[in-house]
Amino acid sequence: MTELDIGPDNEIIRIQPCTRLEGEGKINIILDDDGNVKNAYFQVLDYRGFEGFLKGRQAEEVPRIASRVCGVCSWAHHMSAAKAMDHLFGLEPTPASKKLRELSYNAHNLHSHLLHFFVLASPDFFLSENSEPSTRNIIGLLQEHPDIAKDALKYHADAEKIQEIIAGKAVHPVIALPGGVSRLITEEERDTIEEMSKEILDFTLDFHDFFKANIIENEKYHDLFFGDMYRLETYYMGLVDENDQMNFYDGDLKVINPTGDESFTFSPNDYLDHIEEISQPWSYSKFPYLKNIGWNGFADGEESGIYRVNALPRLNVTDGMPTSIAQEVYEEFIETLGNPAHATLGYNWARLIESVYNIERMLEILDDPDIIHGKPRNKEGSFTGEGVGCVEAPRGTLIHHYKADEKARITSANLIVPTTMNNAAISLDVKKAAKALVHGGNVSEGILNRVEMAYRAYDPCLSCSTHSLPGKCPLELVFRDSDGNVIRRLGRGMN
């Protein structure tokens, strides 16, 4: 990869590695002669090859292999791949298996949201920006707010345990099969999950009120949520059900424009008609955009096809929340941040609201006897040879698309993951924050942490966001002498 737009006299500030995120990335901030920000690049350094690994494998294996894309998002890849295999084998999942999949998947989203909010994001709000970097994390949170941190870790562990109860293992699950699931749950398991879920709901609601009162309504943080530094006016996309409301497991994809008007809604099967990807020579991750709006460079606004996914966009596209308590906290959210909400740091608040919905939905499903006494799997159907699966991963919309030959061997695989979809917006937000914070070459560790807050709000999962094999991604090697002068460049696939 190369760093673009760097003059011979430009100074470069590097944030490497980026902290409190999954995967490996860096930020290059390019200063002009006056020490102000000329440009900034959020560069993804991870490399994956799953779209190649899967070719030639038996299609039935795909949900198990795809879950290995990531240890954090394994359930999202497992579920999206399983839904794609339902279509590829022409097997309609049984009602009981759909409910159990949705139950486990809401538990996964809850587990991931608690992890990001308390372990990765909370130190930005509950610890000083000038605190020692080595303790600006969950360790510092345990020291400064021990009761909150201990409860958060306990309930995060409980959410993980729920996934393990349902699937036999919490990470890299194997429960979803084409046409259903490998097992249902017992009454004893249901009662255990219900008891744990109710405790997590109480904790989440208490903490939601605490966060709103101490952070959102605190004058100290007003500019972070209501100022221009962490704000983009983009398109938003997310899954909605038949009532135009949030759904993590199934539905159509709805897109709204920056003013909140619906632009279009489409089946995930038609994603290629609406989503296009572009590469940049300085990142291993691609940059998807809305095809019918077009790529207009790194800019927000109605003329730019850049769109955002994840918790904030899901609240922006939904026509209210499907459950009662989540609806109450959602109304507080849009009354405070607007509808659509453009504040990037609003992602963090949105995750708490989604967590409330996840638990309420789990409790609804737990009341259904079908998850104990129903039929786990349908084996009757007609092979189609192609399937698209789509779910709302904790980090946003996730699409898996596969084709197979007559012997059910995979011939092509395409994965579009949420961090990739947010890639252009993350780059925009990082540059905007850097321009607002760095002046005259004056940079402190606290300022750099506030630049990092711009990407951290998206909860990026960089391991998931890259999936090209060597030979297909633009690559440039830059050789510099001891003074930093470029002496040679070797490139492949460069424009």
Side-chain angles (χ1 to χ4, degrees):
M1 288 185 291
T2 187
E3 301 141 1
L4 301 182
D5 198 21
I6 304 174
D9 298 324
N10 289 147
E11 183 181 350
I12 306 172
I13 299 170
R14 289 191 172 88
I15 303 176
Q16 185 179 19
C18 294
T19 59
R20 281 187 275 141
L21 84 170
E22 204 288 322
E24 184 180 4
K26 71 174 180 179
I27 295 173
N28 280 319
I29 301 173
I30 316 301
L31 303 185
D32 62 18
D33 293 343
D34 297 322
N36 298 318
V37 175
K38 178 183 177 183
N39 216 328
Y41 299 98
F42 178 70
Q43 294 186 287
V44 179
L45 305 178
D46 283 318
Y47 218 42
R48 285 289 190 270
F50 275 81
E51 289 167 330
F53 300 156
L54 289 163
K55 289 181 183 176
R57 303 304 296 256
Q58 288 297 313
E60 191 172 320
E61 294 182 298
V62 169
R64 299 194 293 274
I65 298 173
S67 75
R68 302 284 172 166
V69 171
C70 179
V72 178
C73 313
S74 59
W75 273 88
H77 289 287
H78 178 62
M79 206 59 74
S80 191
K83 290 181 67 180
M85 291 307 109
D86 293 338
H87 296 297
L88 190 144
F89 283 102
L91 300 173
E92 176 65 22
T94 64
S97 67
K98 284 184 178 178
K99 293 166 190 169
L100 202 64
R101 286 183 183 186
E102 189 178 356
L103 172 65
S104 59
Y105 196 60
N106 274 279
H108 166 67
N109 192 75
L110 171 66
H111 172 253
S112 185
H113 276 2
L114 293 178
L115 171 69
H116 178 264
F117 189 90
F118 289 101
V119 177
L120 304 181
S122 282
D124 289 331
F125 302 109
F126 294 105
L127 301 176
S128 168
E129 64 183 31
N130 296 316
S131 60
E132 167 58 37
S134 63
T135 60
R136 197 192 298 131
N137 47 40
I138 188 63
I139 302 300
L141 206 60
L142 280 163
Q143 293 170 341
E144 294 290 328
H145 304 280
D147 292 339
I148 291 175
K150 288 177 182 176
D151 282 349
L153 292 175
K154 175 190 181 308
Y155 293 119
H156 172 259
D158 284 353
E160 182 172 278
K161 184 65 179 177
I162 290 172
Q163 297 170 78
E164 183 180 329
I165 290 172
I166 296 170
K169 56 192 299 191
V171 182
H172 304 314
V174 295
I175 188 173
L177 304 169
V181 292
S182 59
R183 70 182 291 267
L184 302 178
I185 60 173
T186 67
E187 289 189 17
E188 183 180 8
E189 289 171 333
R190 180 195 60 186
D191 294 344
T192 301
I193 295 171
E194 185 178 57
E195 182 179 347
M196 297 168 83
S197 300
K198 288 179 178 177
E199 287 186 14
I200 301 174
L201 179 59
D202 290 341
F203 165 75
T204 305
L205 287 171
D206 286 345
F207 189 78
H208 170 271
D209 293 343
F210 180 85
F211 180 76
K212 184 169 181 282
N214 290 277
I215 303 299
I216 302 294
E217 296 173 354
N218 188 333
E219 189 62 28
K220 176 182 176 182
Y221 301 103
H222 184 273
D223 286 347
L224 300 184
F225 290 92
F226 302 96
D228 188 56
M229 182 164 58
Y230 300 108
R231 176 187 172 90
L232 294 179
E233 296 188 4
T234 64
Y235 286 79
Y236 299 97
M237 186 173 79
L239 275 179
V240 292
D241 63 15
E242 64 276 11
N243 298 315
D244 225 19
Q245 293 186 321
M246 173 184 293
N247 193 299
F248 282 82
Y249 176 73
D250 210 0
D252 287 332
L253 287 167
K254 178 181 176 182
V255 177
I256 65 168
N257 67 17
T259 63
D261 296 327
E262 181 177 344
S263 295
F264 46 89
T265 297
F266 61 96
S267 165
N269 293 330
D270 300 325
Y271 78 97
L272 289 173
D273 294 333
H274 300 279
I275 298 173
E276 187 70 80
E277 294 179 303
I278 190 171
S279 296
Q280 297 292 324
W282 44 269
S283 177
Y284 286 132
S285 183
K286 293 181 179 178
F287 296 82
Y289 61 94
L290 297 173
K291 200 170 185 176
N292 57 349
I293 305 298
W295 175 258
N296 193 29
F298 289 91
D300 60 352
E302 285 195 60
E303 303 303 317
S304 170
I306 290 176
Y307 64 100
R308 294 196 276 180
V309 297
N310 198 318
L312 182 81
R314 284 192 288 256
L315 293 190
N316 282 340
V317 303
T318 187
D319 186 14
M321 299 297 283
T323 56
S324 59
I325 304 176
Q327 175 66 21
E328 292 176 14
V329 289
Y330 163 78
E331 289 174 1
E332 294 177 30
F333 176 89
I334 60 174
E335 183 179 341
T336 305
L337 293 184
N339 189 16
H342 297 300
T344 296
L345 296 191
Y347 273 86
N348 298 300
W349 188 6
R351 288 189 184 94
L352 287 176
I353 295 168
E354 287 194 336
S355 297
V356 173
Y357 163 72
N358 291 141
I359 307 167
E360 286 190 290
R361 181 61 185 142
M362 289 165 61
L363 291 170
E364 286 179 348
I365 296 172
L366 287 167
D367 273 342
D368 193 322
D370 220 19
I371 60 174
I372 299 172
H373 305 293
K375 181 181 176 183
R377 189 182 183 193
N378 167 40
K379 298 181 181 179
E380 301 296 326
S382 299
F383 181 76
T384 69
E386 183 173 2
V388 174
C390 179
V391 296
E392 280 297 322
R395 291 155 190 83
T397 309
L398 171 64
I399 298 172
H400 281 220
H401 183 189
Y402 303 97
K403 294 180 182 177
D405 62 18
E406 69 280 2
K407 294 184 178 179
R409 292 178 301 206
I410 296 298
T411 56
S412 73
N414 188 30
L415 282 61
I416 303 183
V417 304
T419 296
T420 309
M421 296 194 192
N422 280 331
N423 198 16
I426 292 173
S427 298
L428 269 174
D429 252 325
V430 165
K431 181 178 178 180
K432 195 170 184 180
K435 276 183 169 288
L437 291 164
V438 179
H439 301 286
N442 296 317
V443 180
S444 66
E445 203 285 327
I447 285 177
L448 295 182
N449 181 60
R450 293 185 68 182
V451 174
E452 288 187 282
M453 286 170 64
Y455 72 72
R456 202 174 288 132
Y458 292 87
D459 187 14
C461 191
L462 303 185
S463 295
C464 291
S465 69
T466 56
H467 43 87
S468 294
L469 280 173
K472 293 185 177 180
C473 187
L475 180 68
E476 184 176 32
L477 299 178
V478 181
F479 298 87
R480 299 175 185 270
D481 62 21
S482 58
D483 295 324
N485 300 311
V486 176
I487 55 176
R488 190 180 182 191
R489 292 177 185 270
L490 294 175
R492 180 193 64 212
M494 308 294 294
N495 295 320

